[in-house]
mmCIF file of all heavy atoms in Angstrom:
data_model
loop_
_atom_site.group_PDB
_atom_site.id
_atom_site.type_symbol
_atom_site.label_atom_id
_atom_site.label_comp_id
_atom_site.label_asym_id
_atom_site.label_seq_id
_atom_site.Cartn_x
_atom_site.Cartn_y
_atom_site.Cartn_z
ATOM 1 N N SER A 1 0.819 -1.212 0.000
ATOM 2 C CA SER A 1 0.000 0.000 0.000
ATOM 3 C C SER A 1 0.850 1.259 0.000
ATOM 4 O O SER A 1 0.384 2.345 -0.349
ATOM 5 C CB SER A 1 -0.936 0.012 1.214
ATOM 6 O OG SER A 1 -0.180 -0.044 2.421
ATOM 7 N N GLU A 2 2.114 1.117 0.383
ATOM 8 C CA GLU A 2 3.069 2.224 0.332
ATOM 9 C C GLU A 2 4.435 1.657 -0.016
ATOM 10 O O GLU A 2 4.681 0.466 0.147
ATOM 11 C CB GLU A 2 3.138 2.962 1.672
ATOM 12 C CG GLU A 2 3.559 2.086 2.835
ATOM 13 C CD GLU A 2 3.582 2.846 4.161
ATOM 14 O OE1 GLU A 2 3.224 4.033 4.175
ATOM 15 O OE2 GLU A 2 3.965 2.237 5.162
ATOM 16 N N ASN A 3 5.297 2.516 -0.520
ATOM 17 C CA ASN A 3 6.623 2.072 -0.928
ATOM 18 C C ASN A 3 7.494 1.805 0.297
ATOM 19 O O ASN A 3 7.683 2.685 1.135
ATOM 20 C CB ASN A 3 7.278 3.124 -1.828
ATOM 21 C CG ASN A 3 8.631 2.680 -2.349
ATOM 22 O OD1 ASN A 3 9.650 2.951 -1.742
ATOM 23 N ND2 ASN A 3 8.628 1.989 -3.469
ATOM 24 N N LEU A 4 8.020 0.578 0.401
ATOM 25 C CA LEU A 4 8.836 0.180 1.545
ATOM 26 C C LEU A 4 10.328 0.341 1.289
ATOM 27 O O LEU A 4 11.122 0.290 2.224
ATOM 28 C CB LEU A 4 8.550 -1.284 1.911
ATOM 29 C CG LEU A 4 7.107 -1.653 2.225
ATOM 30 C CD1 LEU A 4 7.001 -3.140 2.528
ATOM 31 C CD2 LEU A 4 6.582 -0.823 3.395
ATOM 32 N N GLY A 5 10.712 0.493 0.038
ATOM 33 C CA GLY A 5 12.125 0.518 -0.299
ATOM 34 C C GLY A 5 12.667 -0.893 -0.420
ATOM 35 O O GLY A 5 12.024 -1.863 0.002
ATOM 36 N N PRO A 6 13.861 -1.050 -1.002
ATOM 37 C CA PRO A 6 14.405 -2.387 -1.243
ATOM 38 C C PRO A 6 14.514 -3.260 0.007
ATOM 39 O O PRO A 6 14.088 -4.409 0.002
ATOM 40 C CB PRO A 6 15.791 -2.094 -1.843
ATOM 41 C CG PRO A 6 15.621 -0.762 -2.501
ATOM 42 C CD PRO A 6 14.700 0.010 -1.597
ATOM 43 N N GLU A 7 15.087 -2.729 1.083
ATOM 44 C CA GLU A 7 15.254 -3.543 2.289
ATOM 45 C C GLU A 7 13.898 -4.041 2.802
ATOM 46 O O GLU A 7 13.723 -5.240 3.083
ATOM 47 C CB GLU A 7 15.962 -2.745 3.377
ATOM 48 C CG GLU A 7 16.170 -3.532 4.670
ATOM 49 C CD GLU A 7 16.885 -2.711 5.735
ATOM 50 O OE1 GLU A 7 17.054 -1.492 5.565
ATOM 51 O OE2 GLU A 7 17.281 -3.307 6.756
ATOM 52 N N GLY A 8 12.930 -3.145 2.920
ATOM 53 C CA GLY A 8 11.624 -3.536 3.428
ATOM 54 C C GLY A 8 10.912 -4.514 2.522
ATOM 55 O O GLY A 8 10.325 -5.506 2.987
ATOM 56 N N ASN A 9 10.967 -4.277 1.211
ATOM 57 C CA ASN A 9 10.253 -5.152 0.283
ATOM 58 C C ASN A 9 10.931 -6.503 0.143
ATOM 59 O O ASN A 9 10.266 -7.527 0.015
ATOM 60 C CB ASN A 9 10.117 -4.478 -1.085
ATOM 61 C CG ASN A 9 9.018 -5.120 -1.924
ATOM 62 O OD1 ASN A 9 7.978 -5.527 -1.409
ATOM 63 N ND2 ASN A 9 9.245 -5.206 -3.223
ATOM 64 N N TRP A 10 12.260 -6.542 0.154
ATOM 65 C CA TRP A 10 12.966 -7.829 0.066
ATOM 66 C C TRP A 10 12.656 -8.687 1.298
ATOM 67 O O TRP A 10 12.427 -9.901 1.168
ATOM 68 C CB TRP A 10 14.469 -7.605 -0.050
ATOM 69 C CG TRP A 10 14.923 -7.079 -1.376
ATOM 70 C CD1 TRP A 10 14.204 -6.321 -2.274
ATOM 71 C CD2 TRP A 10 16.226 -7.241 -1.949
ATOM 72 N NE1 TRP A 10 14.978 -6.010 -3.353
ATOM 73 C CE2 TRP A 10 16.216 -6.553 -3.193
ATOM 74 C CE3 TRP A 10 17.381 -7.884 -1.536
ATOM 75 C CZ2 TRP A 10 17.345 -6.513 -4.024
ATOM 76 C CZ3 TRP A 10 18.503 -7.841 -2.356
ATOM 77 C CH2 TRP A 10 18.482 -7.166 -3.588
ATOM 78 N N ASN A 11 12.627 -8.074 2.458
ATOM 79 C CA ASN A 11 12.306 -8.846 3.664
ATOM 80 C C ASN A 11 10.850 -9.301 3.666
ATOM 81 O O ASN A 11 10.537 -10.414 4.094
ATOM 82 C CB ASN A 11 12.633 -8.037 4.914
ATOM 83 C CG ASN A 11 14.109 -8.057 5.251
ATOM 84 O OD1 ASN A 11 14.742 -9.105 5.251
ATOM 85 N ND2 ASN A 11 14.673 -6.889 5.513
ATOM 86 N N LYS A 12 9.964 -8.462 3.162
ATOM 87 C CA LYS A 12 8.572 -8.886 3.039
ATOM 88 C C LYS A 12 8.459 -10.046 2.064
ATOM 89 O O LYS A 12 7.674 -10.978 2.266
ATOM 90 C CB LYS A 12 7.708 -7.709 2.576
ATOM 91 C CG LYS A 12 6.209 -8.011 2.611
ATOM 92 C CD LYS A 12 5.387 -6.763 2.311
ATOM 93 C CE LYS A 12 3.897 -7.080 2.374
ATOM 94 N NZ LYS A 12 3.063 -5.867 2.099
ATOM 95 N N ALA A 13 9.266 -10.011 1.014
ATOM 96 C CA ALA A 13 9.213 -11.036 -0.026
ATOM 97 C C ALA A 13 9.611 -12.421 0.483
ATOM 98 O O ALA A 13 9.224 -13.436 -0.112
ATOM 99 C CB ALA A 13 10.096 -10.635 -1.201
ATOM 100 N N ILE A 14 10.380 -12.482 1.553
ATOM 101 C CA ILE A 14 10.778 -13.786 2.098
ATOM 102 C C ILE A 14 10.064 -14.103 3.414
ATOM 103 O O ILE A 14 10.404 -15.067 4.102
ATOM 104 C CB ILE A 14 12.306 -13.876 2.308
ATOM 105 C CG1 ILE A 14 12.794 -12.815 3.292
ATOM 106 C CG2 ILE A 14 13.044 -13.763 0.973
ATOM 107 C CD1 ILE A 14 14.266 -12.965 3.690
ATOM 108 N N SER A 15 9.043 -13.317 3.735
ATOM 109 C CA SER A 15 8.405 -13.459 5.044
ATOM 110 C C SER A 15 7.349 -14.556 5.103
ATOM 111 O O SER A 15 7.039 -15.050 6.189
ATOM 112 C CB SER A 15 7.765 -12.126 5.458
ATOM 113 O OG SER A 15 6.708 -11.779 4.564
ATOM 114 N N SER A 16 6.781 -14.934 3.969
ATOM 115 C CA SER A 16 5.670 -15.895 3.979
ATOM 116 C C SER A 16 5.879 -17.007 2.953
ATOM 117 O O SER A 16 4.951 -17.401 2.247
ATOM 118 C CB SER A 16 4.347 -15.170 3.688
ATOM 119 O OG SER A 16 4.089 -14.180 4.660
ATOM 120 N N VAL A 17 7.088 -17.501 2.880
ATOM 121 C CA VAL A 17 7.391 -18.562 1.911
ATOM 122 C C VAL A 17 6.900 -19.909 2.453
ATOM 123 O O VAL A 17 6.904 -20.148 3.659
ATOM 124 C CB VAL A 17 8.901 -18.636 1.617
ATOM 125 C CG1 VAL A 17 9.399 -17.289 1.104
ATOM 126 C CG2 VAL A 17 9.700 -19.051 2.840
ATOM 127 N N ARG A 18 6.473 -20.774 1.538
ATOM 128 C CA ARG A 18 6.051 -22.120 1.930
ATOM 129 C C ARG A 18 7.026 -23.191 1.454
ATOM 130 O O ARG A 18 6.961 -24.335 1.887
ATOM 131 C CB ARG A 18 4.658 -22.415 1.368
ATOM 132 C CG ARG A 18 3.579 -21.505 1.940
ATOM 133 C CD ARG A 18 2.192 -22.035 1.582
ATOM 134 N NE ARG A 18 2.004 -22.082 0.141
ATOM 135 C CZ ARG A 18 1.465 -23.111 -0.532
ATOM 136 N NH1 ARG A 18 1.063 -24.176 0.122
ATOM 137 N NH2 ARG A 18 1.320 -23.057 -1.838
ATOM 138 N N GLY A 19 7.915 -22.834 0.568
ATOM 139 C CA GLY A 19 8.845 -23.801 0.010
ATOM 140 C C GLY A 19 9.927 -24.219 0.985
ATOM 141 O O GLY A 19 10.272 -23.480 1.907
ATOM 142 N N ARG A 20 10.471 -25.385 0.761
ATOM 143 C CA ARG A 20 11.620 -25.862 1.547
ATOM 144 C C ARG A 20 12.872 -25.069 1.186
ATOM 145 O O ARG A 20 13.745 -24.852 2.035
ATOM 146 C CB ARG A 20 11.830 -27.358 1.282
ATOM 147 C CG ARG A 20 13.015 -27.973 2.002
ATOM 148 C CD ARG A 20 13.104 -29.461 1.710
ATOM 149 N NE ARG A 20 14.362 -30.035 2.158
ATOM 150 C CZ ARG A 20 14.761 -31.275 1.876
ATOM 151 N NH1 ARG A 20 13.975 -32.075 1.152
ATOM 152 N NH2 ARG A 20 15.923 -31.715 2.304
ATOM 153 N N PHE A 21 12.939 -24.646 -0.074
ATOM 154 C CA PHE A 21 14.067 -23.843 -0.547
ATOM 155 C C PHE A 21 13.533 -22.539 -1.136
ATOM 156 O O PHE A 21 12.402 -22.479 -1.625
ATOM 157 C CB PHE A 21 14.882 -24.602 -1.595
ATOM 158 C CG PHE A 21 15.380 -25.936 -1.122
ATOM 159 C CD1 PHE A 21 14.828 -27.105 -1.611
ATOM 160 C CD2 PHE A 21 16.387 -26.019 -0.176
ATOM 161 C CE1 PHE A 21 15.273 -28.341 -1.169
ATOM 162 C CE2 PHE A 21 16.840 -27.249 0.280
ATOM 163 C CZ PHE A 21 16.279 -28.412 -0.212
ATOM 164 N N VAL A 22 14.376 -21.502 -1.096
ATOM 165 C CA VAL A 22 13.936 -20.156 -1.479
ATOM 166 C C VAL A 22 14.924 -19.548 -2.465
ATOM 167 O O VAL A 22 16.141 -19.669 -2.303
ATOM 168 C CB VAL A 22 13.812 -19.245 -0.241
ATOM 169 C CG1 VAL A 22 13.325 -17.853 -0.652
ATOM 170 C CG2 VAL A 22 12.893 -19.858 0.805
ATOM 171 N N LYS A 23 14.388 -18.850 -3.463
ATOM 172 C CA LYS A 23 15.210 -18.066 -4.388
ATOM 173 C C LYS A 23 14.561 -16.704 -4.559
ATOM 174 O O LYS A 23 13.369 -16.616 -4.872
ATOM 175 C CB LYS A 23 15.336 -18.747 -5.751
ATOM 176 C CG LYS A 23 16.075 -17.884 -6.786
ATOM 177 C CD LYS A 23 16.215 -18.577 -8.117
ATOM 178 C CE LYS A 23 17.318 -19.597 -8.112
ATOM 179 N NZ LYS A 23 18.680 -18.987 -8.001
ATOM 180 N N LEU A 24 15.332 -15.645 -4.344
ATOM 181 C CA LEU A 24 14.863 -14.286 -4.585
ATOM 182 C C LEU A 24 15.419 -13.810 -5.919
ATOM 183 O O LEU A 24 16.626 -13.909 -6.168
ATOM 184 C CB LEU A 24 15.287 -13.361 -3.452
ATOM 185 C CG LEU A 24 14.762 -11.928 -3.507
ATOM 186 C CD1 LEU A 24 14.473 -11.398 -2.104
ATOM 187 C CD2 LEU A 24 15.752 -10.987 -4.220
ATOM 188 N N VAL A 25 14.535 -13.320 -6.776
ATOM 189 C CA VAL A 25 14.912 -12.858 -8.109
ATOM 190 C C VAL A 25 14.479 -11.407 -8.259
ATOM 191 O O VAL A 25 13.294 -11.100 -8.108
ATOM 192 C CB VAL A 25 14.250 -13.713 -9.203
ATOM 193 C CG1 VAL A 25 14.639 -13.212 -10.594
ATOM 194 C CG2 VAL A 25 14.615 -15.189 -9.050
ATOM 195 N N CYS A 26 15.410 -10.510 -8.544
ATOM 196 C CA CYS A 26 15.034 -9.119 -8.763
ATOM 197 C C CYS A 26 14.231 -8.990 -10.048
ATOM 198 O O CYS A 26 14.342 -9.820 -10.950
ATOM 199 C CB CYS A 26 16.287 -8.242 -8.806
ATOM 200 S SG CYS A 26 17.140 -8.161 -7.214
ATOM 201 N N GLY A 27 13.435 -7.916 -10.131
ATOM 202 C CA GLY A 27 12.447 -7.798 -11.193
ATOM 203 C C GLY A 27 12.974 -7.502 -12.575
ATOM 204 O O GLY A 27 12.184 -7.221 -13.487
ATOM 205 N N ASP A 28 14.295 -7.556 -12.765
ATOM 206 C CA ASP A 28 14.847 -7.381 -14.111
ATOM 207 C C ASP A 28 15.829 -8.494 -14.471
ATOM 208 O O ASP A 28 16.436 -8.454 -15.546
ATOM 209 C CB ASP A 28 15.521 -6.011 -14.259
ATOM 210 C CG ASP A 28 16.580 -5.742 -13.193
ATOM 211 O OD1 ASP A 28 16.755 -6.584 -12.291
ATOM 212 O OD2 ASP A 28 17.230 -4.678 -13.258
ATOM 213 N N ASP A 29 15.975 -9.496 -13.619
ATOM 214 C CA ASP A 29 16.911 -10.587 -13.874
ATOM 215 C C ASP A 29 16.207 -11.787 -14.500
ATOM 216 O O ASP A 29 14.986 -11.829 -14.616
ATOM 217 C CB ASP A 29 17.633 -10.978 -12.586
ATOM 218 C CG ASP A 29 18.552 -9.873 -12.079
ATOM 219 O OD1 ASP A 29 18.958 -9.025 -12.893
ATOM 220 O OD2 ASP A 29 18.858 -9.847 -10.873
ATOM 221 N N ILE A 30 16.992 -12.796 -14.892
ATOM 222 C CA ILE A 30 16.478 -13.916 -15.673
ATOM 223 C C ILE A 30 16.985 -15.241 -15.099
ATOM 224 O O ILE A 30 18.157 -15.357 -14.739
ATOM 225 C CB ILE A 30 16.947 -13.823 -17.144
ATOM 226 C CG1 ILE A 30 16.473 -12.521 -17.791
ATOM 227 C CG2 ILE A 30 16.466 -15.033 -17.959
ATOM 228 C CD1 ILE A 30 14.989 -12.405 -17.943
ATOM 229 N N LEU A 31 16.096 -16.241 -15.029
ATOM 230 C CA LEU A 31 16.518 -17.609 -14.744
ATOM 231 C C LEU A 31 16.587 -18.383 -16.053
ATOM 232 O O LEU A 31 15.648 -18.329 -16.856
ATOM 233 C CB LEU A 31 15.523 -18.314 -13.812
ATOM 234 C CG LEU A 31 15.296 -17.741 -12.419
ATOM 235 C CD1 LEU A 31 14.405 -18.689 -11.613
ATOM 236 C CD2 LEU A 31 16.598 -17.496 -11.697
ATOM 237 N N TYR A 32 17.666 -19.123 -16.264
ATOM 238 C CA TYR A 32 17.724 -20.008 -17.414
ATOM 239 C C TYR A 32 16.927 -21.277 -17.099
ATOM 240 O O TYR A 32 16.726 -21.612 -15.925
ATOM 241 C CB TYR A 32 19.169 -20.316 -17.769
ATOM 242 C CG TYR A 32 19.937 -19.099 -18.270
ATOM 243 C CD1 TYR A 32 21.319 -19.019 -18.158
ATOM 244 C CD2 TYR A 32 19.269 -18.023 -18.869
ATOM 245 C CE1 TYR A 32 22.020 -17.917 -18.624
ATOM 246 C CE2 TYR A 32 19.964 -16.919 -19.332
ATOM 247 C CZ TYR A 32 21.339 -16.869 -19.200
ATOM 248 O OH TYR A 32 22.030 -15.764 -19.663
ATOM 249 N N PRO A 33 16.439 -21.990 -18.115
ATOM 250 C CA PRO A 33 15.427 -23.050 -17.913
ATOM 251 C C PRO A 33 15.756 -24.129 -16.894
ATOM 252 O O PRO A 33 14.854 -24.653 -16.248
ATOM 253 C CB PRO A 33 15.261 -23.638 -19.315
ATOM 254 C CG PRO A 33 15.559 -22.492 -20.229
ATOM 255 C CD PRO A 33 16.682 -21.734 -19.555
ATOM 256 N N THR A 34 17.027 -24.491 -16.722
ATOM 257 C CA THR A 34 17.362 -25.585 -15.800
ATOM 258 C C THR A 34 17.892 -25.096 -14.460
ATOM 259 O O THR A 34 18.429 -25.886 -13.685
ATOM 260 C CB THR A 34 18.394 -26.534 -16.440
ATOM 261 O OG1 THR A 34 19.596 -25.796 -16.741
ATOM 262 C CG2 THR A 34 17.847 -27.159 -17.722
ATOM 263 N N CYS A 35 17.743 -23.816 -14.168
ATOM 264 C CA CYS A 35 18.322 -23.245 -12.945
ATOM 265 C C CYS A 35 17.799 -23.941 -11.698
ATOM 266 O O CYS A 35 18.579 -24.466 -10.885
ATOM 267 C CB CYS A 35 18.036 -21.754 -12.873
ATOM 268 S SG CYS A 35 18.749 -20.940 -11.424
#
């Protein structure tokens, strides 16, 4: 609802994960198919 800045948004982005493993990808980067 408001801009948190990179630190706030990155921490929010990992706050409610359900996976056993986690990968954070910035909004301009790319994963190759077998990553």
Side-chain angles (χ1 to χ4, degrees):
S1 59
E2 60 182 3
N3 183 268
L4 303 179
E7 180 180 10
N9 199 37
W10 287 27
N11 280 313
K12 188 173 181 179
I14 60 172
S15 64
S16 300
V17 303
R18 296 192 299 135
R20 178 178 169 189
F21 304 108
V22 181
K23 174 179 282 292
L24 185 145
V25 179
C26 293
D28 54 356
D29 294 337
I30 301 294
L31 299 187
Y32 293 155
T34 60
C35 182

